[in-house]
Amino acid sequence: MRRDMAFAVVGMLMLLLTYLCYPMASSVVHGFALLALVLFAGIALLPAFVLAAAALCRSAVKRHWLARWVFADISLQFPHLRLAMMALLLTLIANIGVTSLVGSFRLALTDWLETRLSADFYVTAGVMDAASLVGEEWVHKAHRRVVAETSFSGRATMVVGIDIDAPDFRSDNVIDAGPDAFFDWSAGGSETERVFANEQLRYLAGIDVGDTIALDTELGQRLFEVLGFFHDYGNVNFAVYLPMGRFEQLYSSAKPQGWGIWISSDKQEAAELGLSKLGLEPTQWVSQRDVLALSLAVFDRTFAITRALNTLTLLVAAIAIFASLLAVYQFRRPEYALWRSLGVNWPAFFALSGLPIVLMTAVVMVLALPLGIVLSWLLIHKINVISFGWTMPVIVAMKPIIFLFFVVAAVVLSAFILASIRQRAAVSKALKSLAGE
């Protein structure tokens, strides 16, 4: 008991160290060191949590001697199941952390795509011009972006020209900007060019709001003041955004990208027919629904391996629990044979031997939940930012976690049933040996 309490103190110190070192972690190695501290803290805390839960349950059933005996029996079973329960704990923490990471990323990506891909149709560059859309009743708005390439801090950088009234570039999507930042950006007229940038410039190059960066233009090098940032998921390069008017002065030879077309209400069929009348082939335009569906499908395929790995780790934990239960049963077989000789029937036998497993599994789940959330926080706000340079909110969805707990309960129950079936045959054989048969 003293050793378990000492391990619990070590676990609490690990969590405290994680909290203190979190602001100072500035590399992927530092981030993974924090993850390791959380995982090892869970391992160190588990024995004390299990024994404390058993003591609380024992004190809650003072008048029921059999229940008290069952909870006291945990102290005999847990040493043999310690490694298996630790493996299950690590599996649950990792599953909760990664599941929350993937779920948070999917929700953030979906929100970002719905803004970034808000146009109803996208038309390939070079197949039509602005004059083609004049007078078309189904056209609500039409905008295109123009992109020039340069470099900053040794990384490729895109300078993007944006129409200031484009629906997919709004002031409410700017991160950490001042109240008048969007107005100042669109108005221009200052000695230093004003730009918005993607988050990668902030986290990978250390540029913050109000900082000035130097970029090459067709009129020579210019200074650009960063007024705020935008999410830019999936982009490995830096990007800065200029109002279209000023962009055309600094990068007059840049090639425009395709068109984004926003259609009027209830004009979907008319828009598709209108695009055909303009001479566009079906391969030269695509609907927003198709682009969004394709993007999310690619995302789901990318992270399908995560679900496979989660299943694999659960199977490994199940095998560890099964092997540990076999070891416990073999060690205590004479005792269990004595139970049967005293008249304990098989349902009561399985209930008495299974209740400690249920309690230990429940403690593992309770401990894994907060540690898994901490793990997801570190993955999203530290590893993700350091590695890719973008942020997203941590969203802990309880539905997949509850489903995971049900799966774990089924896995542990299956391992217990398989081990108990073997134990039943072994106990019957031991009884025959005691009877001299």
Side-chain angles (χ1 to χ4, degrees), residues 151-181:
S151 63
F152 177 76
S153 189
R155 186 184 290 261
T157 302
M158 296 187 302
V159 183
V160 185
I162 299 287
D163 289 329
I164 60 176
D165 59 343
D168 57 350
F169 197 84
R170 306 194 307 263
S171 60
D172 55 353
N173 293 324
V174 182
I175 303 170
D176 293 341
D180 299 323

Side-chain angles (χ1 to χ4, degrees), residues 163-350:
D163 289 329
I164 60 176
D165 59 343
D168 57 350
F169 197 84
R170 306 194 307 263
S171 60
D172 55 353
N173 293 324
V174 182
I175 303 170
D176 293 341
D180 299 323
F182 201 84
F183 175 79
D184 293 339
W185 171 80
S186 58
S190 63
E191 295 182 1
T192 302
E193 309 293 343
R194 292 166 173 170
V195 296
F196 292 119
N198 62 358
E199 285 187 301
Q200 287 82 333
L201 190 68
R202 181 180 206 172
Y203 294 109
L204 300 182
I207 303 300
D208 211 337
V209 174
D211 289 349
T212 300
I213 61 175
L215 295 176
D216 292 328
T217 73
E218 295 179 13
L219 302 180
Q221 193 174 76
R222 290 288 191 274
L223 295 178
F224 297 84
E225 180 187 358
V226 178
L227 299 181
F229 298 94
F230 277 90
H231 292 302
D232 194 8
Y233 298 123
N235 192 356
V236 298
N237 298 320
F238 300 146
V240 296
Y241 302 89
L242 273 170
M244 184 64 76
R246 186 55 179 153
F247 178 91
E248 290 176 343
Q249 297 173 3
L250 297 176
Y251 300 95
S252 57
S253 62
K255 294 183 179 180
Q257 295 182 318
W259 287 88
I261 302 175
W262 288 259
I263 63 174
S264 304
S265 301
D266 302 325
K267 297 289 185 178
Q268 181 79 20
E269 295 182 0
E272 294 180 2
L273 181 62
L275 290 173
S276 299
K277 289 181 177 180
L278 291 175
L280 272 66
E281 299 293 333
T283 57
Q284 295 176 328
W285 61 272
V286 64
S287 71
Q288 180 262 2
R289 294 190 303 271
D290 294 337
V291 176
L292 182 60
L294 177 61
S295 301
L296 294 179
V298 171
F299 177 90
D300 290 335
R301 286 199 301 268
T302 302
F303 286 96
I305 188 64
T306 302
R307 292 187 288 272
L309 291 175
N310 289 346
T311 303
L312 179 61
T313 55
L314 284 175
L315 288 176
V316 172
I319 293 172
I321 292 173
F322 175 70
S324 299
L325 285 173
L326 290 181
V328 171
Y329 287 160
Q330 184 174 5
F331 176 74
R332 304 185 67 184
R333 189 166 296 158
E335 180 182 343
Y336 292 156
L338 180 60
W339 290 10
R340 287 288 294 153
S341 66
L342 292 175
V344 178
N345 57 34
W346 283 115
F349 172 84
F350 291 137

